[in-house]
Amino acid sequence: MRVSAKADYALRALVEIAVRSDGAAVSAEQLGKAQGIPHNFLQAILADLRRADIVVSQRGQAGGWRFARKPATVTVADVIRAVDGPLVSVYGLRPEAVEYDESTKVLQHVWIAARSSLRGVFEQVTIQDLADGTLPAAVSELTADEDAWQPH
C-alpha cells in the first residue's frame, strides 16, 4: 500500500484541529504552518474533507476550519476515502469490479483480502485516537511484532 502525501497531510491537519482543546476554528494558514503543509495543497485537501462532511469552514475574523462531526467518529478510512478514493483499487477499479479469466481469478481474492486487512486497521483508528496519541488495542498489537517494523 502506498499512502499518498494528500492522505498524510489530511490526517495531520485533522489531528492538528483535534488537539486544540477550545474547539475553535483553525485557519488553513495555521494548519499549514503547524504541520509543514503547502498552503495551496492544503486548501484542496480541506475542500475534499468538506465535501465528505468531515470538516466545515467558518468565515470571518474567527474563521477557519473545524470538525463537522466529533473526531471520535471520523476514521482514518473516512479520510483516505475522502481525499484518495477507495482504500484498494486495481487500475482504477474497485476489486469486486475487476474481471479475470479462470487462471487468474484468484487475484481478485487477494485484492479483496488486502482491502479487508486495511479496513481492519483504518476503520478502527479515529482522529480522536490519533489526537490522544493512542491506538485501539488490536491495532497496537500489530505494531508490537518486530517484523512489522522491518522493510521487506
Side-chain angles (χ1 to χ4, degrees), residues 13 17 28 31 41-51 55 65:
I17 295 169
L31 290 172
F41 199 27
L42 180 57
Q43 290 287 35
I45 291 167
L46 291 167
D48 287 341
L49 295 172
R50 181 180 54 223
R51 280 189 290 280
V55 296
W65 297 88

Side-chain angles (χ1 to χ4, degrees), residues 1-123:
M1 158 155 206
R2 183 180 160 273
V3 177
S4 71
K6 198 172 184 182
D8 182 63
Y9 286 164
L11 289 162
R12 288 168 42 193
L14 291 172
V15 170
E16 187 65 32
I17 295 169
V19 297
R20 295 172 185 249
S21 58
D22 60 4
V26 184
S27 73
E29 185 176 330
Q30 289 173 309
L31 290 172
K33 282 183 182 175
Q35 291 297 321
I37 304 170
H39 184 73
N40 289 341
F41 199 27
L42 180 57
Q43 290 287 35
I45 291 167
L46 291 167
D48 287 341
L49 295 172
R50 181 180 54 223
R51 280 189 290 280
D53 295 320
I54 294 172
V55 296
V56 293
S57 60
Q58 179 178 320
R59 296 194 183 276
Q61 188 172 2
W65 297 88
R66 59 185 172 76
F67 279 92
R69 55 188 201 248
K70 294 180 187 216
T73 67
V74 179
T75 68
V76 170
D78 295 332
V79 176
I80 292 171
R81 287 182 186 117
V83 300
D84 283 340
L87 295 180
V88 173
S89 66
V90 181
Y91 48 85
L93 297 173
R94 293 179 183 271
E96 66 275 11
V98 178
E99 294 183 24
Y100 291 101
D101 65 21
E102 197 59 39
S103 66
T104 55
K105 188 175 183 175
V106 70
L107 277 174
Q108 186 176 42
H109 293 261
V110 172
W111 310 142
I112 297 289
R115 180 176 63 186
S116 179
S117 292
L118 288 172
R119 284 177 176 168
V121 173
F122 293 162
E123 290 181 350

